[in-house]
Amino acid sequence: MEGGRQVANFGAGPAKLPRSVLLEAQKELVDYKGLGISVLEMSHRSSDFTKILNTTENLMRELLNIPDNYKVIFLQGGGSAQFSAVPLNLIGLKEGRQADYVVTGGWSAKAAKEAEKYAKVNIVHPKLGAYTSIPDPSTWNLNPDASYVYYCANETVHGVEFDFVPDVKGAVLVCDMSSNFLSKPVDVSKFGVIFAGAQKNVGCAGVTVVIVREDLLGFALKECPVVLDYKTQAANSSLYNTPPCYSIYIMGLVLEWIKNNGGAAAMDKLSLIKSRMIYDIIDKSNGFYTCPVERKNRSRMNVPFRIGSVKGDEALEKKFLEKAVELNMISLKGHRSVGGIRASLYNAVTVEDVQKLATFMRSFMQMHQS
């Protein structure tokens, strides 16, 4: 493996994993800690898997300072399953079955649409013409009868990130943190529910972590599928049904790596360094590179940009992507719904990876700027 092709992976998820984690997983793949079997073959009811599960949960609690009155559960179905699970578990908190949604990009829009199946959804601000900013919270029209307020902390497709936790006047706050989870410290006590797919900052596809305050358990609608019922999953320590065992194991290795590299605060510092490197080039390019997102709402995780003009010169962008691959930089193509280029700078993406991209962006601009 060490002699293989070395690439800088800027994929939006599944995304780069720390090399040390991959090597550890490789070493333990066939024979986990002398047991003679792989984690892939291990019973989820065994004491050995229980250790893996407990270690992963304890690391998560330590890294995020999760208060004791919160449950941590590991579920399947990705963030998209939580678009259904959130209303199914929480809409029954109040009789009116109403929910407030802040829609700042493609993922919160999908979540709001899914919630409409189970709830009366109130979008707390006028519909945005484009997903390039976060509406000023002082203009939000929060419904006092809403069971919860939902937002997405970082929009992976559109590159819009909250750098604050909304003040929702004591309402139950729900947050999709899939793409900036553990990239910075978070005060968990401000939230009723936090969920995050692992495959961006904390592991591989297959497991979604849900952090839920205990007093919110037990309100699921009778129509809620049992595998999505937070109370059932918490009471069974994520073992109501077979969990995604190997994905939980990988997440544990990544959490250990984050801890050994300074925790969430260190990830935050690195995220700022990495994202500034790319935004600085964009902002000093005299319009050769353009980022559509308002500066104060720009994501540290996902940097979307166009080349040649605000709407993008497709021929130039194609050339950029082809040349990047030649230089062993992959997965820079923007999401199919928006086009252009997108560099995702998650925890495992190194400063050296980003320097390589920055150097390439400068040389490409010098070559093609008219």
Side-chain angles (χ1 to χ4, degrees):
M1 183 171 173
E2 282 301 323
R5 180 185 173 203
Q6 299 276 340
V7 301
N9 180 0
F10 295 99
K16 180 173 178 170
L17 286 164
R19 192 160 185 81
S20 60
V21 165
L22 291 172
L23 291 169
E24 175 88 353
Q26 181 191 44
K27 190 178 86 192
E28 295 182 336
L29 179 64
V30 176
D31 180 6
Y32 177 72
K33 300 199 184 303
L35 295 174
I37 61 167
S38 172
V39 176
L40 290 163
E41 307 167 287
M42 190 183 282
S43 166
H44 61 295
R45 305 279 176 204
S46 66
S47 60
D48 295 298
F49 184 70
T50 301
K51 270 187 214 157
I52 290 172
L53 190 62
N54 291 344
T55 299
T56 304
E57 178 179 338
N58 290 336
L59 280 165
M60 182 79 71
R61 287 186 175 279
E62 183 185 345
L63 287 165
L64 283 172
N65 293 315
I66 298 173
D68 291 343
N69 64 321
Y70 284 75
K71 295 291 190 187
V72 177
I73 48 181
F74 301 104
L75 304 181
Q76 300 183 69
S80 295
Q82 295 308 307
F83 297 169
S84 311
V86 165
L88 284 165
N89 279 278
L90 302 183
I91 206 66
L93 287 168
K94 292 188 180 177
E95 277 182 28
R97 286 197 179 190
Q98 300 176 63
D100 281 347
Y101 276 71
V102 185
V103 176
T104 52
W107 292 112
S108 47
K110 281 187 174 178
K113 189 168 189 287
E114 182 65 14
E116 285 173 1
K117 294 177 182 175
Y118 316 106
K120 183 175 185 297
V121 170
N122 167 47
I123 310 296
V124 303
H125 51 81
K127 188 168 168 28
L128 301 175
Y131 295 131
T132 55
S133 65
I134 295 167
D136 182 343
S138 67
T139 66
W140 296 0
N141 181 25
L142 296 174
N143 173 9
D145 295 323
S147 294
Y148 61 88
V149 181
Y150 178 108
Y151 77 107
C152 176
N154 183 73
E155 287 283 358
T156 324
V157 173
H158 293 92
V160 174
E161 183 175 20
F162 280 76
D163 66 349
F164 62 94
V165 175
D167 175 8
V168 292
K169 315 287 185 261
V172 173
L173 186 60
V174 177
C175 187
D176 173 1
M177 291 191 186
S178 290
S179 52
N180 67 357
F181 191 62
L182 268 170
S183 69
K184 60 180 177 183
V186 167
D187 181 353
V188 173
S189 70
K190 290 183 176 178
F191 298 86
V193 174
I194 291 168
F195 69 87
Q199 68 274 15
K200 300 174 192 296
N201 275 310
V202 290
C204 62
V207 62
T208 302
V209 60
V210 178
I211 302 167
V212 55
R213 207 171 66 217
E214 284 175 349
D215 63 306
L216 303 175
L217 299 172
F219 293 92
L221 302 183
K222 68 179 189 302
E223 305 92 321
C224 181
V226 68
V227 291
L228 294 180
D229 185 333
Y230 296 159
K231 185 182 181 183
T232 300
Q233 290 285 9
N236 287 277
S237 303
S238 306
L239 295 169
Y240 171 79
N241 62 319
T242 309
C245 301
Y246 198 76
S247 299
I248 291 169
Y249 157 71
I250 293 289
M251 186 194 268
L253 295 182
V254 175
L255 295 177
E256 195 177 359
W257 175 85
I258 291 173
K259 180 183 172 178
N260 292 339
N261 284 277
M267 297 299 116
D268 190 19
K269 279 184 189 155
L270 286 170
S271 292
L272 286 168
I273 291 165
K274 291 184 292 188
S275 55
R276 275 181 189 152
M277 230 185 275
I278 302 303
Y279 285 124
D280 279 353
I281 292 170
I282 292 168
D283 293 339
K284 291 170 183 168
S285 71
N286 292 321
F288 182 76
Y289 297 117
T290 59
C291 172
V293 182
E294 281 189 23
R295 289 190 189 209
K296 67 179 185 298
N297 301 138
R298 283 176 173 179
S299 169
R300 299 161 308 125
M301 297 286 104
N302 311 98
V303 182
F305 59 95
R306 303 304 303 240
I307 305 176
S309 71
V310 174
K311 292 196 170 167
D313 177 328
E314 282 189 19
L316 260 187
E317 289 174 347
K318 186 169 180 282
K319 203 177 280 187
F320 179 92
L321 291 167
E322 285 168 357
K323 186 66 183 166
V325 170
E326 278 176 36
L327 296 169
N328 290 326
M329 287 178 279
I330 66 165
S331 300
L332 283 160
K333 193 175 171 46
H335 190 269
R336 62 188 181 280
S337 64
V338 293
I341 314 294
R342 172 176 56 174
S344 295
L345 312 175
Y346 301 129
N347 287 344
V349 175
T350 64
V351 170
E352 292 72 29
D353 289 338
V354 182
Q355 283 169 336
K356 187 177 177 184
L357 175 59
T359 301
F360 167 57
M361 285 175 70
R362 281 195 200 92
S363 66
F364 188 84
M365 177 170 64
Q366 285 161 3
M367 198 175 292
H368 297 282
Q369 203 165 32
S370 49

